[in-house]
Amino acid sequence: MIQTDILIIGAGPVGLFTVFEAGLLKLRCHLIDSLAQPGGQLTEIYPKKPIYDIPGFPSILAGDLVNNLMEQIAPFNPSFTLGERAESIEKVNGGFLLSSNKGTKIKAKVIAIAGGLGCFEPRKPPLENIDRFEDKGVDYIVKDPEKFRNKNLVIAGGGDSALDWTIELSSIAKEITLIHRRSSFRGALDSVDKVFELAKAKKINLITDAQVTGLNGNGLLKEVTINSKALGELKKEVDHFIPLFGLSPKLGPLADWGLNITKNAIEVDTEDYSTNLRGIYAIGDINTYKGKLKLILCGFHEATLMVQSAFKEIYPEKKLSFKYTTVAGVNTF
């Protein structure tokens, strides 16, 4: 059985940064994640996508941010259980006992849920034969942009993900066609402007008030059918169809733990991001409170305050004095 001070459910960026903040307080951490490697969505969905709102980095690739976080927490020797899902918990003397879906037992004094969106899966367009072309021309996420170099792409969607990847891939793809069922987009205004500029410069094809209604190919995807309000039915040869309609978040087993939940998110007290169950905290995209913003830097802030409270929960008799790292340094165990 694994024993630790803080069990972190979710090894995304917020979960990883929690290890650093806990390490400053001499608290040991173990992380469990259903994915096979640390990094959460940053590693699994868009490792090559640039992030622009991390303080001190005008731009940093998602995968590089994960690498930096792993380097930052290395001195504190966190342990990991990867490729396993947190299944059930029970209150035991001295904390909690968690069981994974593969039978791993982890005992912890407190639990920090940092599971991002929880268990997630892509929202698929309602196309009859789409399953037949998955990984054979249909891609729901962009892990490595190089896969799409010099290829003919059709991207569908009207949110940030569709806009961002249209912009990013426009410089390496042979041809990109962006399809959106409406004439207006839901994404950031700057991204919308860039997409229209690319279309005006004929660097991408933009078809609005349209939908992909069919997929064709013999084994591999070769053609998509597009139904356009203005142009009627179109046939377009493609190498890849990338529908980017977001992720469908599911809390999974966490939903049965007795936590207060609103719209697939865990309610917390913003004083320390504690849940209604004493000793269990929720940080990052998986929690909800008035004014919540789903940003990585906000999750870092939540993790910082959370570990202060976790220390007091674990060592109620000890006095905790806050010290700046510029004064105290980073002392390992």
Side-chain angles (χ1 to χ4, degrees):
M1 182 171 62
I2 300 166
Q3 297 196 43
T4 189
D5 294 321
I6 302 178
L7 170 59
I8 302 169
I9 300 174
V14 173
L16 295 176
F17 187 68
T18 301
V19 175
F20 176 78
E21 289 296 325
L24 296 178
L25 304 183
K26 305 294 185 183
L27 299 176
R28 294 189 178 276
C29 295
H30 183 86
L31 301 93
I32 182 171
D33 199 299
S34 59
L35 300 177
Q37 56 188 329
Q41 294 182 60
L42 271 64
T43 300
E44 186 70 9
I45 300 178
Y46 47 85
K48 300 295 184 180
K49 184 177 178 181
I51 301 174
Y52 299 101
D53 57 1
I54 301 299
F57 292 94
S59 173
I60 184 170
L61 295 180
D64 290 343
L65 177 59
V66 172
N67 291 338
N68 288 355
L69 286 166
M70 291 296 289
E71 182 180 349
Q72 186 178 27
I73 67 176
F76 300 113
N77 297 313
S79 51
F80 293 84
T81 296
L82 299 173
E84 298 186 30
R85 184 182 66 241
E87 193 73 19
S88 64
I89 57 169
E90 60 179 297
K91 197 79 172 69
V92 296
N93 185 33
F96 300 90
L97 181 64
L98 179 139
S99 300
S100 80
N101 63 316
K102 295 185 178 179
T104 300
K105 303 288 186 181
I106 308 167
K107 184 178 180 182
K109 297 171 183 175
V110 301
I111 292 176
I113 303 172
L117 295 175
C119 301
F120 55 86
E121 57 187 39
R123 293 190 176 98
K124 302 180 182 180
L127 298 175
E128 183 178 352
N129 60 344
I130 193 168
D131 293 350
R132 183 157 60 92
F133 293 108
E134 289 175 356
D135 299 321
K136 298 177 181 178
V138 171
D139 300 87
Y140 300 112
I141 60 177
V142 179
K143 289 186 180 180
D144 183 6
E146 285 300 313
K147 176 180 179 180
F148 305 101
R149 182 174 290 276
N150 299 322
K151 302 294 186 180
N152 294 321
L153 313 178
V154 168
I155 296 176
D160 284 314
S161 186
L163 293 167
D164 290 348
W165 280 121
T166 297
I167 295 167
E168 291 294 325
L169 295 175
S170 65
S171 62
I172 65 171
K174 182 178 180 181
E175 181 186 68
I176 288 186
T177 301
L178 175 61
I179 309 292
H180 182 37
R181 62 181 179 175
R182 297 189 176 93
S183 57
S184 59
F185 291 87
R186 303 186 310 276
L189 293 178
D190 180 63
S191 297
V192 174
D193 290 342
K194 287 180 180 177
V195 163
F196 278 109
E197 289 171 6
L198 288 169
K200 186 177 180 180
K202 300 190 183 301
K203 294 182 179 179
I204 67 167
N205 302 314
L206 176 61
I207 306 177
T208 57
D209 293 313
Q211 295 187 66
V212 172
T213 56
L215 307 174
N216 302 291
N218 184 14
L220 297 176
L221 180 66
K222 295 296 183 183
E223 182 186 74
V224 299
T225 302
I226 301 167
N227 192 298
S228 165
K229 185 176 181 181
L231 303 173
E233 186 174 278
L234 308 171
K235 302 286 186 180
K236 191 161 190 63
E237 290 187 7
V238 297
D239 296 302
H240 296 275
F241 171 49
I242 311 173
L244 298 173
F245 298 143
L247 299 171
S248 178
K250 297 179 180 179
L251 286 178
L254 297 180
D256 300 322
W257 289 8
L259 298 161
N260 289 340
I261 294 170
T262 300
K263 295 181 179 179
N264 274 335
I266 301 169
E267 297 176 7
V268 294
D269 182 342
T270 52
E271 180 180 351
D272 58 3
Y273 303 96
S274 56
T275 69
N276 59 299
L277 300 180
R278 183 170 177 175
I280 300 181
Y281 302 82
I283 52 178
D285 286 357
I286 204 164
N287 74 16
T288 185
Y289 52 86
K290 186 177 180 180
K292 171 71 179 181
L293 291 177
K294 292 188 176 184
L295 295 172
I296 294 173
L297 64 91
C298 294
F300 290 167
H301 161 80
E302 294 166 10
T304 304
L305 296 186
M306 183 277 293
V307 297
Q308 300 286 317
S309 177
F311 181 92
K312 296 172 186 176
E313 183 71 22
I314 295 169
Y315 299 113
E317 74 287 353
K318 289 187 179 181
K319 182 179 180 180
L320 177 61
S321 58
F322 175 76
K323 295 180 181 179
Y324 295 105
T325 54
T326 51
V327 176
V330 178
N331 298 312
T332 58
F333 299 127

